[in-house]
Amino acid sequence: AQSVTQLDSQVPVFEEAPVELRCNYSSSVSVYLFWYVQYPNQGLQLLLKYLSGSTLVKGINGFEAEFNKSQTSFHLRKPSVHISDTAEYFCAVSPKLYNFNKFYFGSGTKLNVKP
Amino acid sequence: NAGVTQTPKFQVLKTGQSMTLQCAQDMNHEYMSWYRQDPGMGLRLIHYSVGAGITDQGEVPNGYNVSRSTTEDFPLRLLSAAPSQTSVYFCASSYSSSGRSWEQFFGPGTRLTVL
């Protein structure tokens, strides 16, 4: 069974400050890891993914995430946020054993960037 | 390309009514999925399809039916609407690369209220 925990439901931050959105997961099998972003009244779009190799992955809009296998975490970071980063962010896992990406999503973290 | 389109954008139903949420994609993607998004719960997979004529259940399939007669279309049917089905519904599609699909493309969503 898989589960994804995003501990912070809301994260307020000032513009140009750094931010970290936390994601922990639990799975009985190896998983691929993803971060998606949802802007208001829109569908989700892929920010970045970890499939294998380097544990630090870079995505769009200056975001990056680090896979930590021992802590089963995949935290998302950005060194300096912009107002336009205000959105909801979802962490997701997909078990490697399937030939189809069955995604299991966390409950989401709303990032509110203030001027 | 229109990408993934969903209709209607908004719908209000009475308990017991049936309806079909439409989803279409013009990217020739093999895989399509339906999710529901509820506050504090992230996205949960309802049904998915790995190709025309092939569908399977996700995490929360009860009360919903799907079929996939063409590559482009993947409608979701609510058989007898219940208030517990009040949610935002997202359709997603993805391509297959070496047997796996890495990125899902989401539609804009349908906001459904069941009274």
Side-chain angles (χ1 to χ4, degrees):
Chain A
Q2 288 68 233
S3 68
V4 180
T5 302
Q6 293 181 244
L7 290 169
D8 305 304
S9 59
Q10 297 195 51
V11 172
V13 63
F14 287 105
E15 195 172 19
E16 297 184 6
V19 71
E20 179 180 80
L21 306 184
R22 296 180 292 168
C23 172
N24 289 86
Y25 69 92
S26 170
S27 178
S28 53
V29 300
S30 296
V31 295
Y32 300 110
L33 296 145
F34 304 81
W35 275 98
Y36 277 82
V37 59
Q38 183 180 31
Y39 297 104
N41 299 314
Q42 293 185 27
L44 280 69
Q45 56 187 100
L46 182 67
L47 258 186
L48 49 79
K49 60 183 181 283
Y50 173 76
L51 306 180
S52 65
S54 172
T55 57
L56 182 64
V57 293
K58 294 188 185 298
I60 61 172
N61 300 339
F63 283 93
E64 64 181 31
E66 186 157 19
F67 170 52
N68 187 318
K69 188 175 182 179
S70 63
Q71 297 186 3
T72 60
S73 67
F74 191 53
H75 300 332
L76 181 71
R77 301 186 185 99
K78 187 169 182 178
S80 176
V81 295
H82 302 289
I83 297 284
S84 58
D85 293 323
T86 294
E88 191 160 16
Y89 293 80
F90 292 92
C91 181
V93 302
S94 180
K96 290 186 179 182
L97 58 86
Y98 297 128
N99 62 1
F100 166 72
N101 264 354
K102 276 190 174 183
F103 282 78
Y104 297 86
F105 286 86
S107 54
T109 297
K110 290 184 179 177
L111 178 64
N112 183 16
V113 182
K114 304 177 180 180
Chain B
N1 278 356
V4 180
T5 58
Q6 292 183 238
T7 55
K9 289 192 184 330
F10 301 94
Q11 183 69 50
V12 179
L13 292 177
K14 295 181 180 178
T15 297
Q17 287 184 315
S18 63
M19 79 158 295
T20 299
L21 307 186
Q22 301 292 345
C23 174
Q25 52 93 6
D26 61 0
M27 297 173 282
N28 202 31
H29 286 173
E30 291 179 63
Y31 301 151
M32 296 186 76
S33 305
W34 274 104
Y35 293 87
R36 60 176 290 173
Q37 183 180 26
D38 301 294
M41 300 187 73
L43 278 76
R44 293 180 290 169
L45 182 64
I46 304 172
H47 285 287
Y48 65 96
S49 168
V50 298
I54 307 170
T55 64
D56 204 349
Q57 297 180 350
E59 295 177 80
V60 288
N62 291 341
Y64 307 96
N65 272 359
V66 292
S67 60
R68 182 107 178 264
S69 56
T70 67
T71 300
E72 295 77 22
D73 300 300
F74 191 44
L76 178 72
R77 295 182 190 84
L78 280 70
L79 308 173
S80 177
S84 60
Q85 293 179 303
T86 293
S87 187
V88 181
Y89 291 84
F90 288 100
C91 180
S93 73
S94 53
Y95 60 88
S96 172
S97 173
S98 300
R100 290 299 298 262
S101 53
W102 303 124
E103 178 175 357
Q104 294 197 87
F105 295 81
F106 284 82
T110 294
R111 188 173 295 272
L112 176 68
T113 302
V114 183
L115 303 175

